[in-house]
Amino acid sequence: MINVLKDVAKKYYLNGYNCAEAMLYAGDEYYQLGLDKSIFKVMAGFGGGVNTEDLCGVVSGSVALLGVLFVEKNAYGSEHIKELTKEFIEAFKKTKGSMNCKELKDQYRDEKEKCSCVVESGAAVLEEIIKGFQKTKETTM
């Protein structure tokens, strides 16, 4: 039974989507966003560390999902996206030790599950940040 974001993200990742795509697809399904399917093509070039083994696609996909969830018009008009992005980046680096795709692949990738443990970890971190933000927002209302 799939009941947490990391399980949904892993499902997409192991079914042929790159790490960045998997994060956005998972967020769409898990948070029932109903995103237009054409939007997912935006994440295609971000997998594999922007196809250069640089910035991990889990990071770029997660930041994209934060934007979808918490930005109404643009970044300058959002009072929370900067802090949420920074919080995610710090927590991801603390959990995995790096945001660099090559470093993460060298440390965590295996032939069977590829980088699914990185996808799962990133999704778990992201879900906690979203939950924490939603709880904080509820208590301030």
Side-chain angles (χ1 to χ4, degrees):
M1 178 176 182
I2 294 175
N3 58 4
V4 292
L5 183 61
K6 73 178 188 151
D7 294 337
V8 182
K10 182 178 180 180
K11 172 188 81 171
Y12 281 103
Y13 180 70
L14 292 177
N15 280 296
Y17 294 92
N18 73 35
C19 45
E21 291 169 324
M23 297 306 290
L24 193 57
Y25 271 100
D28 181 55
E29 179 179 321
Y30 187 72
Y31 295 107
Q32 300 176 347
L33 300 173
L35 296 175
D36 184 285
K37 296 305 175 197
S38 66
I39 195 71
F40 297 104
K41 292 189 274 183
V42 135
M43 300 314 300
F46 288 91
V50 195
N51 291 301
T52 62
E53 293 190 314
D54 195 1
L55 178 65
C56 174
V58 171
V59 174
S60 54
S62 295
V63 172
L65 181 58
L66 288 171
V68 168
L69 288 170
F70 300 112
V71 174
E72 287 187 37
K73 183 178 177 185
N74 61 33
Y76 296 121
S78 171
E79 59 185 287
H80 304 293
I81 192 64
K82 187 175 181 179
E83 70 185 62
L84 290 168
T85 299
K86 286 172 74 173
E87 186 178 348
F88 173 78
I89 299 265
E90 289 169 9
F92 183 85
K93 285 196 296 192
K94 184 176 181 184
T95 302
K96 288 296 171 206
S98 177
M99 295 189 316
N100 179 271
C101 176
K102 179 164 179 19
E103 291 173 12
L104 293 168
K105 283 166 96 175
D106 288 348
Q107 187 169 0
Y108 297 106
R109 184 179 172 89
D110 71 44
E111 287 305 310
K112 183 179 179 212
E113 299 255 322
K114 304 182 284 180
C115 290
S116 62
C117 73
V118 177
V119 171
E120 288 179 291
S121 294
V125 165
L126 183 60
E127 185 175 8
E128 285 304 310
I129 287 168
I130 292 168
K131 280 181 183 175
F133 176 74
Q134 290 170 333
K135 281 182 186 175
T136 301
K137 200 169 180 184
E138 288 172 7
T139 60
T140 59
M141 295 180 118

